[in-house]
Structures are given as C-alpha cells and as structure tokens.
Amino acid sequence: MIIGLDLGTTSAKAVGVAEDGTAAAVCTAVYPQQPESRARQAPEAALGAAMSVLAEAVAAVGPASVRGIALSAAMHTLLSVDASGAAHGGVSTWGDARAAALPDGSAHRADLASLYELTGCPPWPVYAPA
C-alpha cells in the first residue's frame, strides 16, 4: 500500500493505493485561505490538515500495510522562517497576485528573457525565485 499525500491550495488530500491501483482510502481536510488577491494561508492549518489526512489514511489501510508515502505539492509556495525554522508569517501561495499591480508597467521595463534564463523560472508576480 502506498499513501499519496497532496498539499493543495485549499486542502490536503491523502489516498491509500493498493498494488493493483485501487484506492483503499480517500481522505480530505480543507484549510482556509485569504481572498484571491492575497492567497495566504496559516502554515499551522495546512500542516494540521496534512497530518490529519495522513493519519486517517494510514489508519484506514492499516499501518502494517504501508510501504511508502508519495508527496505532491504542484504549485510554488513561499514561507519565511526564523533562525530556528519556525514559521514567520503566513504562507504565500501561487495565487498571491499583489505584485501584478506594480506602477507604470514596471514589469515591462525588466529584461524578462534574461530573468528567465538566470533563474529558470517564468517571470510571474508571485513566483518567488523569479
């Protein structure tokens, strides 16, 4: 049995998958997010939801049958931490579009091709590496 754990934009999901590909357990926990323009989350809520669905899926399939855990978190996220590794502030998700409102077309003055070549990341307002 493999447990798949997905940390999504608005929920954590876990599925227990048998060797034949059938789903033996499907669990979901939703966590809140601020409005679309900010798209921020409380890191404790996301972590709590992930741990909850993981525990629920493992219990449903039986701990002895679990052979591995596969993780998924498809979109980029930014979470600042302090020197001890503790979260500092909220999680900024891919949907945080506040930088899109830069004055006077600032994005058009940047050399976007060079930025992409340097970072390997598409120049998108919320994409932290860019």
Side-chain angles (χ1 to χ4, degrees), residues 1-5 13-17 24-27 50-70:
M1 188 73 57
I2 300 295
I3 302 292
L5 176 62
K13 295 160 287 290
V15 61
V17 180
V26 177
C27 313
M51 297 304 289
S52 174
V53 296
L54 181 58
E56 186 179 343
V58 169
V61 301
S65 71
V66 177
R67 301 286 178 247
I69 300 174

Side-chain angles (χ1 to χ4, degrees), residues 37-95:
S37 63
R38 292 185 50 96
R40 296 194 36 106
Q41 298 167 337
E44 300 82 9
L47 178 60
M51 297 304 289
S52 174
V53 296
L54 181 58
E56 186 179 343
V58 169
V61 301
S65 71
V66 177
R67 301 286 178 247
I69 300 174
L71 300 174
S72 168
M75 298 299 281
H76 47 275
T77 299
L78 178 66
L79 172 63
S80 60
V81 297
D82 63 20
S84 70
H88 180 72
V91 174
S92 293
T93 73
W94 63 271

Side-chain angles (χ1 to χ4, degrees), residues 7 20 25 28-29 34 36 39 42 45 61 65 67 72-73 76 85-86 90 103 105 119 125 129-130:
L7 303 176
D20 66 1
T28 302
Q34 289 183 5
E36 286 297 318
V61 301
S65 71
R67 301 286 178 247
S72 168
H76 47 275
T119 65

